[in-house]
């Protein structure tokens, strides 16, 4: 499915805007819808708590001080009455509520009675400044909701001491206006800040990604000099590093491939020239149809098919995703199967290929038969190709720590130490000057590496210049039960 793609910049922008919208909406809803009820609850709580604390301290000598302090702290009006409804002490904190001192006795009596009848506490909301009495500025009174709480506490004389706490629970207009102004300022600043941050963030994120994408396009054209620049952002920096690594690897493969094409065309041209040259000579000069000349044609044809086979092996193994079929396999039988393939060399060119089994008569491992034969064949082939004047190749089988190790050793000129890490690379050839006897595709060891890696085998080479090379690989033994 190919939907419309949104750029990173706009996505960040949209996310920020959404969060901003939600936060501001919440703030505004709180301000306009819930402010009154929050305020009301807080004020009621303060009145209740002040009433309770006064009731708890009625017997204190410093009751007057406590009442004044609580009235001040909670912004409420407090009045304490004895059983005759006379005021013991009072504190008026709220400017608007001077009337509190003028509440008629009948109302005080009413509060005291109700508190006593309701388990000691009575409370009530009402509009205006006084219960049922909107005296004074009637217009303003109507807008004010008040809360009154009375607590009756039994005294020593069999009557009640009554604590009356009064609080207005309507937010003052100036408070609302101030809050609104603050909210507008906060909204404007937040919008600006969020938009700026989103802009900077999205630019900071998308710029390096865009740059990398531009550089990747250059890489795609085959320019391996392009440099993917590091970034201060970890993920983008890792991406740049991966792309740099990919670039280096692609560059290497490209160089090797170019070398391969140069090598293969050279390698193909030489035997083809020889084959057609010898064939022409034999056609034109009847006396030249000799066994030797025919052998040259056969050798060169074999060389050609080896080359083509190597290339095919690599592509086939890759196409199969490097899969192997594991089965119990006897390494001794495998080695013994490989050796006769060199009978011709042994007989005609006096090569010696000897096998020394220092392990068991049957060396069982879990491996893919065809692939392991291929490994052995490639390694023995190389040893035969590169061995020294004595034309000898030694194959040995050892066993240690529950694993079999096959060594294929030659007495050739060996490999320089600094070249050793590269010989397993695809298309790598130490000798780029193509000595006739040492023509190869540069693929043999890379096939060996791929197969042994797929088996999880350990392998390597010990080589010293002038002394020869020892290629080895090691596979865990299957213990026969
Ligand atoms: P090639 O087909 O060229 O032999 P390989 O991948 O089999 O390719 O080997 C890579 C290179 O490693 C060879 O070009 C050769 O220089 C070097 N090499 C491989 N085996 C030996 C060996 N037994 N002795 C010396 N050099 C070797």
């Amino acid at each position: 499915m190919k939907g419309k793609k949104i750029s990173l910049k706009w996505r960040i922008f949209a996310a920020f805007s959404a969060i901003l919208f939600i936060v501001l909406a919440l703030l505004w809803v709180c301000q306009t819808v819930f402010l009154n009820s929050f305020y009301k609850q807080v004020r009621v709580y303060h009145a209740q708590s002040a009433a309770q604390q006064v009731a708890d301290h009625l017997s204190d000598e410093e009751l007057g001080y406590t009442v004044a302090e609580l009235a001040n702290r909670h912004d409420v009006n407090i009045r304490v009455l004895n059983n005759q409804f006379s005021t013991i002490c009072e504190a008026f904190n709220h400017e608007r509520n001077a009337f509190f001192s003028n509440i008629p006795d009948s109302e005080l009596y009413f509060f005291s009675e109700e508190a006593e009848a309701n388990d000691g506490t009575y409370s009530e909301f009402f509009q205006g400044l006084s219960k049922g009495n909107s005296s004074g500025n009637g217009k303003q009174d109507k807008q004010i909701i008040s809360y009154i709480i009375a607590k009756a506490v039994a005294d020593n004389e069999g009557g009640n001491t009554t604590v009356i706490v009064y609080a207005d629970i309507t937010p003052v207009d100036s408070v609302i206006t101030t809050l609104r102004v603050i909210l507008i300022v906060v909204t404007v600043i937040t919008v600006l800040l969020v938009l700026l941050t989103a802009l900077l963030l999205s630019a900071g994120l998308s710029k390096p990604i865009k740059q990398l994408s531009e550089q990747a396009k250059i890489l795609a054209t085959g320019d391996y000099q392009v440099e993917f620049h590091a970034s201060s952002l970890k993920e983008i920096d890792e991406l740049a590093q991966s792309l740099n690594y990919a670039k280096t690897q692609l560059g290497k493969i490209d160089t090797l491939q170019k070398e391969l094409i140069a090598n293969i065309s050279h390698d193909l041209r030489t035997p083809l020239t020889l084959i057609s040259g010898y064939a022409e000579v034999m056609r034109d000069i009847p006396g030249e149809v000799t066994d030797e000349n025919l052998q040259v044609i056969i050798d060169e044809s074999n060389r050609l098919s080896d080359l083509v086979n190597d290339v095919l092996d690599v592509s086939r193994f890759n196409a199969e995703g490097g899969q192997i079929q594991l089965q119990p396999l006897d390494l001794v039988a495998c080695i013994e199967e490989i050796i006769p393939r060199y009978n011709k060399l042994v007989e005609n060119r006096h090569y010696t290929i000897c096998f020394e089994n220092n392990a068991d008569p049957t060396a069982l491992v879990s491996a893919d038969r065809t692939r392991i034969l291929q490994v052995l064949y490639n390694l023995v082939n190389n040893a035969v190709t590169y061995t020294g004047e004595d034309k000898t190749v030694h194959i040995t089988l050892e066993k240690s720590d529950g694993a079999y190790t096959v060594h294929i050793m030659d007495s050739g000129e060996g490999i320089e130490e600094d070249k050793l890490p590269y010989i397993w690379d695809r298309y790598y050839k130490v000798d780029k000057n193509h000595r006739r006897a040492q023509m190869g595709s540069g693929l043999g060891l890379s096939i060996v590496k791929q197969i042994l890696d797929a088996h999880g085998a350990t392998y390597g080479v010990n080589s010293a210049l002038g002394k020869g090379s020892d290629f080895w690989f090691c596979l865990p033994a299957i213990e026969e039960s």
Side-chain angles (χ1 to χ4, degrees):
M1 206 182 70
K2 219 181 161 192
K4 197 169 178 249
K5 302 273 186 269
I6 305 169
S7 83
L8 184 66
K9 197 158 103 186
W10 288 116
R11 194 156 284 208
I12 292 176
F13 224 73
F16 268 79
S17 308
I19 294 171
L20 180 67
F21 177 77
I22 293 169
V23 170
L24 290 181
L26 269 176
L27 275 176
W28 279 96
V29 167
C30 285
Q31 158 87 23
T32 49
V33 181
F34 297 119
L35 181 67
N36 278 355
S37 73
F38 282 161
Y39 189 79
K40 181 175 159 186
Q41 277 177 25
V42 170
R43 298 291 295 143
V44 166
Y45 171 76
H46 280 167
Q48 287 172 347
S49 136
Q52 186 58 50
Q53 287 183 61
V54 175
D56 292 344
H57 292 87
L58 281 178
S59 49
D60 284 7
E61 278 184 11
E62 294 185 335
L63 180 63
Y65 173 76
T66 311
V67 166
E69 199 268 324
L70 284 170
N72 184 34
R73 191 184 332 146
H74 295 303
D75 193 16
V76 292
N77 305 297
I78 304 174
R79 194 152 165 194
V80 184
L81 308 171
N82 65 12
N83 50 18
Q84 303 300 315
F85 306 118
S86 312
T87 300
I88 303 172
C89 65
E90 60 188 347
F92 300 138
N93 196 53
H94 208 288
E95 286 173 7
R96 289 187 285 174
N97 301 320
F99 81 97
F100 196 54
S101 55
N102 300 323
I103 296 177
D105 282 355
S106 60
E107 265 185 33
L108 295 178
Y109 179 74
F110 169 80
F111 288 132
S112 183
E113 291 276 283
E114 287 294 321
E116 200 185 335
N118 288 290
D119 287 339
T121 307
Y122 173 75
S123 63
E124 170 177 349
F125 294 96
F126 56 89
Q127 202 165 43
L129 295 175
S130 172
K131 180 179 158 53
N133 170 21
S134 51
S135 62
N137 185 347
K139 203 177 170 196
Q140 189 191 354
D141 287 0
K142 287 222 172 63
Q143 293 165 353
I144 295 173
I145 307 287
S146 303
Y147 175 75
I148 211 155
I149 176 167
K151 269 192 179 290
V153 182
D155 61 16
N156 302 333
E157 297 159 14
N160 279 319
T161 305
T162 310
V163 181
I164 300 175
V165 176
Y166 165 91
D168 83 73
I169 56 170
T170 309
V172 189
D173 281 350
S174 61
V175 173
I176 295 179
T177 317
T178 313
L179 279 177
R180 190 148 294 163
V181 171
I182 291 176
L183 193 58
I184 291 171
V185 172
V186 166
T187 305
V188 171
I189 292 177
T190 320
V191 168
L192 288 178
L193 267 181
V194 167
L195 292 186
L196 197 74
T197 315
L199 214 74
L200 289 177
L201 195 70
S202 54
L205 273 178
S206 63
K207 199 176 156 202
I209 294 179
K210 259 191 184 163
Q211 250 174 18
L212 289 183
S213 139
E214 290 304 321
Q215 285 155 342
K217 279 183 201 151
I218 300 176
L219 176 65
T221 62
D223 177 358
Y224 300 109
Q225 301 304 318
V226 64
E227 200 49 52
F228 294 93
H229 299 297
S231 158
S232 54
L233 292 166
K234 192 171 161 236
E235 288 78 5
I236 295 178
D237 194 49
E238 277 171 7
L239 178 63
Q241 279 176 22
S242 309
L243 284 168
N244 274 328
Y245 178 71
K247 173 200 78 178
T248 317
Q249 295 303 314
L250 283 174
K252 266 192 203 163
I253 292 175
D254 189 60
T255 316
L256 290 171
Q257 250 160 356
K258 282 182 185 144
E259 265 172 24
L260 172 82
I261 291 170
N263 291 350
I264 287 193
S265 30
H266 181 278
D267 293 350
L268 286 176
R269 202 169 345 119
T270 319
L272 283 175
T273 317
L274 280 171
I275 291 169
S276 67
Y278 273 74
E280 273 172 25
V281 168
M282 286 191 292
R283 182 197 60 199
D284 299 340
I285 310 165
E288 285 297 315
V289 187
T290 62
D291 283 354
E292 273 169 29
N293 288 351
L294 283 171
Q295 192 58 47
V296 171
I297 292 179
I298 292 168
D299 285 349
E300 295 305 318
S301 309
N302 287 342
R303 221 187 287 280
L304 275 181
S305 74
D306 283 351
L307 190 68
V308 173
N309 281 341
D310 274 359
V311 176
L312 280 180
D313 277 343
V314 172
S315 59
R316 205 176 302 139
F317 196 68
N318 283 342
E320 286 168 8
Q323 280 186 349
I324 48 168
Q325 311 278 329
L326 293 180
Q327 60 186 65
L329 177 72
D330 178 12
L331 283 177
V332 178
C334 285
I335 296 168
E336 283 170 350
E337 188 179 328
I338 287 289
I339 294 173
R341 295 193 194 175
Y342 295 91
N343 279 350
K344 280 262 154 23
L345 273 184
V346 173
E347 283 164 20
N348 299 343
R349 302 203 187 164
H350 311 296
Y351 276 83
T352 312
I353 298 179
C354 48
F355 172 39
E356 195 179 310
N357 184 354
N358 301 323
D360 308 310
T362 329
L364 279 185
V365 293
S366 175
D368 185 320
R369 194 182 127 79
T370 324
R371 302 290 183 205
I372 291 296
L373 282 175
Q374 211 174 346
V375 167
L376 284 169
Y377 186 66
N378 281 354
L379 292 180
V380 175
N381 247 359
N382 278 354
V384 168
T385 309
Y386 297 105
T387 194
E389 294 297 311
D390 64 358
K391 296 188 170 177
T392 305
V393 172
H394 279 284
I395 305 174
T396 63
L397 179 68
E398 318 281 342
K399 187 180 185 190
S400 67
D401 298 331
Y404 292 108
T405 309
V406 181
H407 291 269
I408 292 126
M409 296 170 282
D410 65 70
S411 55
E413 58 194 49
I415 306 164
E416 285 168 58
E417 205 178 330
D418 59 336
K419 305 265 165 61
L420 280 179
Y422 304 110
I423 57 170
W424 307 94
D425 287 350
R426 204 178 278 181
Y427 311 131
Y428 184 83
K429 287 172 153 196
V430 173
D431 179 8
K432 295 200 169 123
N433 296 326
H434 299 291
R435 276 179 290 154
R436 281 274 296 118
Q438 296 178 3
M439 278 201 326
S441 60
L443 292 172
L445 287 181
S446 87
I447 298 171
V448 169
K449 175 178 155 58
Q450 274 185 328
I451 296 174
L452 292 176
D453 279 341
H455 279 83
T458 44
Y459 56 91
V461 54
N462 305 313
S463 188
L465 269 188
K467 290 202 178 125
S469 310
D470 167 10
F471 282 83
W472 60 269
F473 66 90
C474 178
L475 285 166
I478 303 178
E479 296 301 339
E480 277 175 295
S481 48

